[in-house]
Amino acid sequence: RVIQLDSFDGTTGFTVGGDAGTLAKNTLNFLEGSASLSMTLTYSTGSAYIEKTTLTSQDLTDFRLLGAWFIKVFIPSGFSARFTSFTLRSGNDTGTNYWSKAVTAAHDGTAFKDGWNILRFDWSSATETGTVDETLMDSMRLTVAFTTGVAIPGFLVDDFTHQLGSMYDLHYYSSYLFKSAAGVWIEKPTDDADTINLSGDAYKIFTDIG
């Protein structure tokens, strides 16, 4: 299940702080809806944020400590090495009652790269500040940490969602039919203490073929 929390299609309700400035709507480079939000990151402190405390209120009670928040960010060419982490606050406000989670890599575990990056903030490992009412989730803040240097223009943010994954039961064939006494799966037995992982009928077929 995917819950759209904000599409970042306009600047209304958004504020920026820290080293972030020049907030604008970008209708040329976006991933969802009709636009993304663009800002310039200056180099004073190496920390900047964008926030909104007037999101359409969502009841996430059934998702408490489950699923993850996702945000997509665009890093301009040549600047990815300067980005160190992103921290999300999501809750009833951004200063007193919220959940927070920091990530130091993209959703797939790779380093931040030039271009679009998908950020995933797992609720199960987030930290609660204050007492959050999960029936009235209407605020978010994304904080960017980066090394100081020249200003970074054209940093983009888009598509804020909360997503709950699905469980799948996968059936597959494996060539690792044996297990050592130490519990390591192996392709061929190497010791008399190794065991085979086959049903009775499959074992008979295996020995007949052998």
Side-chain angles (χ1 to χ4, degrees):
R1 181 179 176 184
V2 178
I3 300 176
Q4 182 74 49
L5 301 175
D6 202 279
S7 60
F8 290 85
D9 286 345
T11 60
T12 301
F14 282 98
T15 59
V16 292
D19 283 355
T22 321
L23 182 65
K25 179 178 178 178
N26 187 314
T27 59
L28 298 177
N29 188 3
F30 60 92
L31 294 179
E32 190 280 334
S34 60
S36 62
L37 291 184
S38 170
M39 67 200 78
T40 296
L41 305 180
T42 60
Y43 51 87
S44 301
T45 65
S47 179
Y49 68 84
I50 179 173
E51 72 173 17
K52 185 175 183 178
T53 57
T54 56
L55 300 171
T56 299
S57 181
Q58 298 287 343
D59 183 353
L60 299 182
T61 306
D62 293 341
F63 300 88
R64 192 178 194 276
L65 299 179
L66 301 173
W69 291 279
F70 287 83
I71 294 182
K72 300 178 178 68
V73 299
F74 179 87
I75 298 176
S77 179
F79 290 102
S80 58
R82 289 179 54 192
F83 285 77
T84 57
S85 69
F86 292 87
T87 302
L88 175 71
R89 293 183 182 182
S90 181
N92 310 132
D93 52 63
T94 60
T96 306
N97 302 291
Y98 59 85
W99 288 90
S100 64
K101 170 69 177 179
V103 297
T104 57
H107 163 55
D108 59 1
T110 60
F112 303 131
K113 64 180 185 296
D114 293 352
W116 284 105
N117 295 258
I118 301 176
L119 307 179
R120 186 188 80 236
F121 304 89
D122 294 328
W123 198 338
S124 61
S125 55
T127 300
E128 184 178 19
T129 296
T131 302
V132 180
D133 181 357
E134 279 89 18
T135 67
L136 299 169
M137 303 281 278
D138 62 0
S139 300
M140 66 80 63
R141 174 187 288 189
L142 180 68
T143 300
V144 187
F146 54 95
T147 57
T148 57
V150 298
I152 304 174
F155 174 73
L156 306 178
V157 183
D158 198 8
D159 194 23
F160 180 39
T161 62
H162 188 278
Q163 302 185 29
L164 186 64
S166 300
M167 297 295 292
Y168 289 91
D169 186 12
L170 301 178
H171 297 271
Y172 64 94
Y173 293 97
S174 172
S175 60
Y176 289 82
L177 302 180
F178 301 91
K179 186 166 64 173
S180 70
V184 178
W185 292 99
I186 53 179
E187 188 172 1
K188 296 179 180 180
T190 58
D191 189 90
D192 289 343
D194 296 340
T195 57
I196 189 169
N197 183 43
L198 290 173
S199 66
D201 291 340
Y203 173 74
K204 291 178 181 178
I205 295 173
F206 179 80
T207 54
D208 287 344
I209 293 175

